[in-house]
Amino acid sequence: MGLTAGIVGLPNVGKSTLFNAITKKSILAANYPFATIEPNVGVVTVPDERLDTLNEMYHPERLIPTAFEFTDIAGLVKGASQGEGLGNKFLSHIRETDAIVEVVRCFENNDIIHVEGKVDPLRDIEIINLELVLADLESIGNRIEKIEKKARTTKDKDELVELDALTKAKAALEKNQPLRTVDFTKEEKQAIKSYNFLTLKPIIYMANINEEEVANIDNDYVKIVKEYAQKENAKVIKVCAKIEEELSQLEDKDHKEMLDALGIEMSGLDQLIKATYDLLGLATYFTVGTDEVRAWTFKKGMNAKECAGIIHTDFEKGFIRAEVMSYEDLVSCGSELKVKEAGRARLEGKDYLMQDGDICHFRFNV
């Protein structure tokens, strides 16, 4: 699908350590600002227990999970929208992502320098979010100047909708309100889609805590982050980046044992990956067989023909129909044959809206 989530935050909040854990890659995670200059991109697999069940049913030669990208972006500092630090690079790299994971430091450690002098998650969030707001305001101001007179004169419908949307956006941003919280109409959203506004991107806040607090109730810093995120209806995931990096190096059995020892059911990274997948509006369908069982990512709302095109463009061009059964029906019946005997297998046309967990076989002719 080519979708990506950008990991952002102030320098030294644990972004690169978290990214190392996500991708099991070794990148520079030094204790000073701007250790990450170019964005590091890593492909992560989406945890899905359904694949394990399908693997046991089909014993395929290949088992392929679905995946998407995380990008680790250089640490931002105050004044980034005016080019301070690595601000211009930071903002341009965020613009290329589909969602934002904002890492917030919620732990004390005198050995790790805080770029602002002391730990204050609310201040840190507001520094980053203000820079995104200011960058969007600059884009809007430039565009409104160009189209306002023309739109009023020509009365062009599309340009008037765009002008109204930009005016609404400008008013919100001047109140420090991110555009993701603004109630745009469908037409207005389409009119400003090409601007790729930073504050329009969906966001998850990741509260980075220390090792001793992994299984404990939220500390005061985490509570502050959750209170802030609630205003945006955004999710907060609590994680210890250092522990996640250790977990990422373990085999499955040892990984499970360490989680049990820590007193947690699911690692913070698995929570993050699943939450980000959902945040991006993604879902999964499967293709199955003895040669391969594979999960495919699609955008919620895509039809069968479009989903066929994810496998190959020829599948979409020559689409005839999709043979579909649900994962739940396959598991409860025990085999594809029994699903058909129970009358639960379906033939769907090109306009069928694909559902999460559908198991598909596409018929096409090119």
Side-chain angles (χ1 to χ4, degrees), residues 3-255:
L3 294 169
T4 181
I7 303 175
V8 306
L10 294 177
N12 299 340
V13 297
K15 293 186 299 81
S16 295
T17 303
L18 182 67
F19 182 80
N20 286 346
I22 287 176
T23 61
K24 297 186 181 178
K25 288 184 177 180
S26 243
I27 60 169
L28 183 61
N31 181 23
Y32 55 87
F34 316 132
T36 307
I37 297 177
E38 295 300 327
N40 295 275
V41 179
V43 177
V44 297
T45 58
V46 179
D48 195 329
E49 55 279 359
R50 295 174 297 186
L51 267 182
D52 297 330
T53 302
L54 293 173
N55 188 43
E56 290 174 6
M57 294 180 73
Y58 287 89
H59 302 287
E61 295 176 16
R62 296 180 303 279
L63 182 69
I64 305 176
T66 188
F68 64 96
E69 292 181 350
F70 274 102
T71 302
D72 179 36
I73 297 170
L76 175 147
V77 294
K78 194 180 296 181
S81 57
Q82 279 78 49
E84 291 294 325
L86 297 168
N88 292 330
K89 281 191 174 185
F90 174 93
L91 296 171
S92 67
H93 292 150
I94 296 178
R95 208 174 293 281
E96 295 168 5
T97 67
D98 300 286
I100 296 172
V101 177
E102 187 168 326
V103 182
V104 186
R105 179 169 168 176
C106 293
F107 65 91
E108 297 279 358
N109 187 331
N110 293 332
D111 294 329
I112 300 178
I113 302 163
H114 193 293
V115 72
E116 289 293 325
K118 68 175 184 176
V119 178
D120 184 342
L122 182 58
R123 177 208 57 213
D124 294 355
I125 291 172
E126 289 179 340
I127 285 174
I128 288 183
N129 290 0
L130 178 60
E131 296 303 328
L132 303 185
V133 163
L134 291 173
D136 282 350
L137 267 173
E138 183 179 359
S139 300
I140 287 173
N142 294 339
R143 182 58 180 166
I144 285 180
E145 286 181 12
K146 289 181 180 179
I147 71 166
E148 187 168 23
K149 186 175 180 180
K150 182 183 176 184
R152 302 294 185 202
T153 302
T154 63
K155 303 296 183 184
D156 180 85
K157 182 182 177 183
D158 291 339
E159 288 186 343
L160 285 171
V161 170
E162 181 183 354
L163 179 59
D164 288 344
L166 290 174
T167 302
K168 183 188 289 188
K170 184 172 183 286
L173 292 168
E174 286 175 341
K175 297 175 185 174
N176 203 22
Q177 181 184 355
L179 298 183
R180 72 181 74 89
T181 65
V182 177
D183 187 22
F184 291 108
T185 67
K186 185 178 179 180
E187 292 76 17
E188 288 172 339
K189 286 180 182 177
Q190 188 61 37
I192 61 175
K193 184 179 180 181
S194 63
Y195 291 99
N196 218 1
F197 288 127
L198 303 176
T199 65
L200 197 56
K201 297 179 186 296
I203 192 168
I204 288 176
Y205 292 97
M206 174 146 276
N208 190 13
I209 58 174
N210 64 33
E211 295 108 302
E212 293 76 26
E213 297 179 319
V214 170
N216 297 344
I217 60 173
D218 298 341
N219 65 31
D220 290 341
Y221 293 142
V222 174
K223 290 176 183 176
I224 289 170
V225 176
K226 286 188 173 181
E227 185 177 337
Y228 184 94
Q230 192 172 18
K231 299 173 185 175
E232 298 184 22
N233 198 27
K235 282 189 177 181
V236 176
I237 294 176
K238 189 169 65 170
V239 65
C240 173
K242 188 175 179 181
I243 285 180
E244 296 298 332
E245 190 172 27
E246 293 174 13
L247 281 166
S248 71
Q249 306 303 318
L250 301 176
E251 298 295 330
D252 289 346
K253 182 182 176 183
D254 295 333
H255 184 281

Side-chain angles (χ1 to χ4, degrees), residues 44-47 68 70 268-278:
V44 297
T45 58
V46 179
F68 64 96
F70 274 102
L269 288 187
D270 281 352
Q271 293 179 55
L272 172 64
I273 292 167
K274 285 191 171 186
T276 308
Y277 197 70
D278 184 61

